[in-house]
Amino acid sequence: QVQLVESGGGLVQPGGSLRLSCAASGSIFRLAVMGWYRQAPGKQRELVATITSRDSTNYADSVKGRFTISRDNAKYTVYLQMNSLKPEDTAVYYCNLYLPGVNYWGQGTQVTVSS
């Protein structure tokens, strides 16, 4: 069993920045595809960004150029740097760890973008 613990959410004004962190409890992290997803009220959970074990990244069109995903395999941690935040980025952000046959989620962290 792998535990994922997110942190770094909060309230920020439009145009501001936040950095989310997700710490994993096991070395399986090093082999896994790590991802950030989000779910806004009344909407389905959607992909934000993913990063493979070889640091290949993928982003949703809505966040390209504003968000950056990265990972530190020594710390079993994945990050999401979010810049130029917009009110429509408001959501609960979830960390995901994926390998074939393995799929873990964190508990989520709230990000609210509002003036």
Side-chain angles (χ1 to χ4, degrees):
Q1 187 77 10
V2 175
Q3 292 188 337
L4 302 173
V5 179
E6 298 109 332
S7 60
L11 173 64
V12 63
Q13 292 187 343
S17 298
L18 282 175
R19 189 175 84 151
L20 305 183
S21 299
C22 171
S25 61
S27 60
I28 192 176
F29 174 93
R30 293 176 178 172
L31 301 175
V33 176
M34 297 302 299
W36 287 98
Y37 292 73
R38 66 186 181 187
Q39 187 167 18
K43 294 188 177 182
Q44 290 189 333
R45 191 173 297 188
E46 63 176 5
L47 169 72
V48 176
T50 60
I51 184 168
T52 69
S53 60
R54 297 187 177 185
D55 290 339
S56 177
T57 59
N58 179 57
Y59 296 92
D61 287 343
S62 59
V63 307
K64 281 181 181 176
R66 300 188 298 122
F67 291 10
T68 302
I69 189 170
S70 61
R71 64 193 294 161
D72 185 335
N73 286 337
K75 296 182 178 179
Y76 300 166
T77 300
V78 62
Y79 305 97
L80 186 68
Q81 178 67 44
M82 304 186 294
N83 299 329
S84 302
L85 282 160
K86 305 175 181 179
E88 52 263 43
D89 294 318
T90 295
V92 178
Y93 283 70
Y94 296 91
C95 177
N96 175 258
L97 182 150
Y98 173 79
L99 281 167
V102 174
N103 194 26
Y104 292 107
W105 293 92
Q107 82 286 354
T109 185
Q110 177 70 46
V111 172
T112 302
V113 184
S114 175
S115 55

